[in-house]
Amino acid sequence: MSTTGDRPAKVSLPELAQLARDGRPIVMVTAYDFPSGRLADEAGVDIVLVGDSAAMTVLGHDSTVPATLDEMILLARATVRGARRPLVVGDMPFGTFQVSDEETVRNAVRFVKEAGVDAVKVEGAGPTLGRVQALVGAGIAVMGHVGLTPQSATLLGGFRAQGRTAEAARRLLADALALEAAGCFAVVLEAVPAPVAARVTEALSVPTLGIGSGAECDGQVLVLHDILGLYPGRSPRFVRRYAEVGDTIRDALERFAADVRDGAFPEDEHTYSIPDDELAEFEAGLERRA
Ligand code: KIV
């Protein structure tokens, strides 16, 4: 790994392409703030996605749709401060790339300049293809996303796997190829049957990043809160939970609350001293005032 001073160099697009060519899986994870960005960096992940899943995991909405560009920029700016080595990708929220090429570029430029992300991600193909071309033309690296695209879950009939008929699989492959032709440096495949994702990965020369799309993709991405067990409720079937951090946090908070209520916290070691003579003078002053 090359370095800039004592700071590790940022993961580059050619490095990601090389990992895929070498058959070494690319690791991508979502992060939404300084500590999660820093921990992802320390764990050696290649790409950090400031996903619009933040609308659900961080902001408590029922879907990703309500996320605003201002909210995403705030979260991404903090994440970028923590994630120094991984490539940081900002997810363009719903409404920021649907209206026109010009507005899309203006919004992405804000993401890059105000948050410091290295690239942006957009969902879908079709009308999104022109937007990708406009963004790449403006000098912004773009990650595509096909299969289950949560921003259009209503149109897709809900949060369900995509590409499960021959016709749907053909369309999905065509969309992924079109995103590559439009200039995407990588494409997320979400909830796509593993054999279909494998064919798409074979057909594309840019890396694919799978989420619920089998082991043949060039890399894998999961949502941080799913990995950590920090999001309430049942996880999708493609998630493996590596920790139950939610339980750990709740237990710590319960013990803190109990200690405060029992008088077991704070103890002397958690407080600061004042020299005896200073305290005596302070108290004498109080008595005089009384
Ligand atoms: O917003 C997000 O977290 C995503 C990933 C699921 C790829 O788009």
Side-chain angles (χ1 to χ4, degrees):
M1 188 207 313
S2 54
T3 60
T4 313
D6 53 2
R7 223 180 95 192
K10 188 55 70 197
V11 171
S12 67
L13 303 188
E15 276 174 311
L16 294 172
Q18 191 60 48
L19 285 175
R21 273 195 297 277
D22 293 348
R24 286 186 290 155
I26 298 167
V27 181
M28 170 160 132
V29 70
T30 67
Y32 312 103
D33 56 14
F34 173 74
S36 56
R38 188 171 55 87
L39 290 167
D41 187 334
E42 287 171 5
V45 311
D46 303 303
I47 307 176
V48 161
L49 170 68
V50 186
D52 65 350
S53 49
M56 301 171 75
T57 55
V58 178
L59 302 177
H61 293 293
D62 290 335
S63 82
T64 61
V65 169
T68 68
L69 184 59
D70 285 341
E71 288 166 343
M72 293 301 297
I73 287 175
L74 179 84
L75 298 174
R77 197 187 288 143
T79 308
V80 162
R81 290 188 198 114
R84 312 297 289 270
R85 194 193 76 92
L87 189 89
V88 180
V89 180
D91 212 358
M92 296 282 285
F94 181 69
T96 59
F97 63 97
Q98 277 79 8
V99 176
S100 68
D101 286 358
E102 207 178 283
E103 199 173 304
T104 304
V105 172
R106 196 176 302 120
N107 288 330
V109 165
R110 278 196 64 200
F111 225 151
V112 171
K113 288 187 72 148
E114 295 177 32
V117 297
D118 304 302
V120 298
K121 177 168 84 61
V122 289
E123 288 190 6
T128 303
L129 297 170
R131 308 288 188 251
V132 172
Q133 283 172 332
L135 290 168
V136 175
I140 298 173
V142 185
M143 177 180 279
H145 183 160
V146 290
L148 170 54
T149 44
Q151 292 175 7
S152 36
T154 309
L155 275 180
L156 298 176
F159 288 85
R160 47 173 54 197
Q162 301 295 309
R164 299 185 81 185
T165 64
E167 175 49 28
R170 257 197 304 275
R171 253 186 285 123
L172 201 139
L173 171 60
D175 284 349
L177 284 167
L179 283 168
E180 173 180 310
C184 284
F185 70 88
V187 179
V188 170
L189 305 178
E190 180 163 353
V192 173
V196 177
R199 298 292 176 275
V200 174
T201 301
E202 263 168 38
L204 261 57
S205 57
V206 296
T208 59
L209 297 155
I211 173 161
S213 300
E216 302 297 313
C217 297
D218 294 310
Q220 297 292 326
V221 49
L222 281 181
V223 167
L224 181 79
H225 288 50
D226 288 337
I227 295 175
L228 298 183
L230 205 46
Y231 191 71
R234 211 162 57 88
S235 300
R237 63 174 275 143
F238 54 73
V239 167
R240 180 179 287 169
R241 287 165 83 124
Y242 287 83
E244 293 301 336
V245 171
D247 292 345
T248 305
I249 293 174
R250 190 180 312 104
D251 175 61
L253 294 176
E254 280 170 3
R255 288 190 293 120
F256 169 63
D259 281 355
V260 170
R261 288 175 185 136
D262 296 349
F265 179 88
E267 293 179 292
D268 282 351
E269 69 196 82
H270 305 116
T271 60
Y272 299 94
S273 62
I274 175 172
D276 289 346
D277 55 337
E278 297 292 341
L279 183 59
E281 187 184 327
F282 171 60
E283 285 176 339
L286 290 181
E287 276 163 27
R288 273 196 301 277
R289 276 180 61 192

